[in-house]
């Protein structure tokens, strides 16, 4: 998703939703929420909503030791 500010500049938001993370990883929404709740995917709870900081997500993704194992 991209956001256009008042000056017409396109910027990416600083966070992903859990649904966006699920799509990026090619996993189900339920699995993404399970990983967030278990602390596997770095996320913060803001009120009733989970947000995933883009920088933290990409740092986590680049660390292959952090990725869940299949099966």
């Amino acid at each position: 998703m991209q956001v256009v500010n008042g000056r017409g500049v396109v910027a990416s938001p600083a966070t992903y939703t859990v649904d966006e993370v699920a799509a990026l990883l090619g996993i189900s929404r339920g699995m993404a929420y399970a990983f967030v709740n278990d602390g596997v995917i770095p996320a913060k709870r803001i009120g009733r909503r989970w947000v995933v900081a883009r920088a933290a997500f990409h740092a986590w993704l680049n660390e292959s030791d952090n990725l869940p194992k299949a099966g």
Side-chain angles (χ1 to χ4, degrees):
M1 179 170 90
Q2 294 181 332
V3 178
V4 179
N5 69 14
R7 297 183 196 149
V9 176
V10 176
S12 297
T15 61
Y16 289 123
T17 65
V18 177
D19 288 344
E20 289 171 326
V21 167
L24 288 168
L25 295 175
I27 60 176
S28 72
R29 181 179 190 258
M31 184 175 284
Y33 271 102
F35 287 156
V36 164
N37 282 313
D38 292 343
V40 175
I41 295 174
K44 297 205 183 230
R45 185 111 189 201
I46 300 177
R48 297 179 68 195
R49 189 172 168 240
W50 283 102
V51 294
V52 181
R54 290 173 76 95
F57 173 75
H58 289 285
W60 169 81
L61 193 59
N62 289 331
E63 292 292 326
S64 60
D65 293 344
N66 294 330
L67 297 177
K69 306 292 185 241

